[in-house]
Amino acid sequence: IKSEVRVGNKELGICGTIDAVALDENGDLVLIDWKCTNSIISTNPQTDKDFPRARMFNKPFQKMKATKRNIYKLQLNTYAYILELYNVKVSKLIVVQCYHQLSEPVVIQLENIRDDPVFQNWIRGNKKEVKVDGPMDDWIQASRPVITE
């Protein structure tokens, strides 16, 4: 396991820091992101605390609710996409929720959306529109989601 792994691609204009990476049984990378939020509380997205009141993302992800889970899904898939540009295979995307009111951490495997045409078109056409850092509201307010840490 290695922590605080910086990734980026100058051509895409995207960079960020992965909280932790580990190797799976096949030697492929597992990306792990630690979250201290009370919004994600289950392995079922529709029972997340912020699901009922979440707005929809703007285009091109207008069919996706702007929940913290989906923000993290875009973030980790973006990091995985960058690594795969350098022929580094990523097998799993994991969020570990460590909220102080939970009796134990919640481990959630996020969906791989890197082959989805909407994601592909967004990531390739997103140059100069991606913010590396910014408040969470930027994800919901922006014309395109931004990558936050």
Side-chain angles (χ1 to χ4, degrees), residues 28-78:
D28 298 329
L29 282 186
V30 176
L31 306 187
I32 303 166
D33 205 19
W34 310 107
K35 298 297 181 187
C36 297
T37 178
N38 67 346
S39 292
I40 300 175
I41 55 167
S42 70
T43 56
N44 178 354
Q46 295 178 340
T47 59
D48 290 348
K49 279 187 168 182
D50 62 349
F51 184 83
R53 68 181 185 285
R55 296 179 282 184
M56 303 303 281
F57 277 122
N58 293 324
K59 289 183 180 181
F61 298 110
Q62 68 271 20
K63 294 181 181 178
M64 186 186 298
K65 282 200 168 218
T67 62
K68 288 184 179 179
R69 177 191 303 260
N70 285 335
I71 290 167
Y72 306 148
K73 183 189 328 181
L74 289 170
Q75 178 187 16
L76 288 177
N77 273 282
T78 299

Side-chain angles (χ1 to χ4, degrees), residues 23-28 30 91-92:
L23 295 177
D24 69 8
E25 60 279 355
N26 298 318
D28 298 329
V30 176
S91 64
K92 293 179 189 158

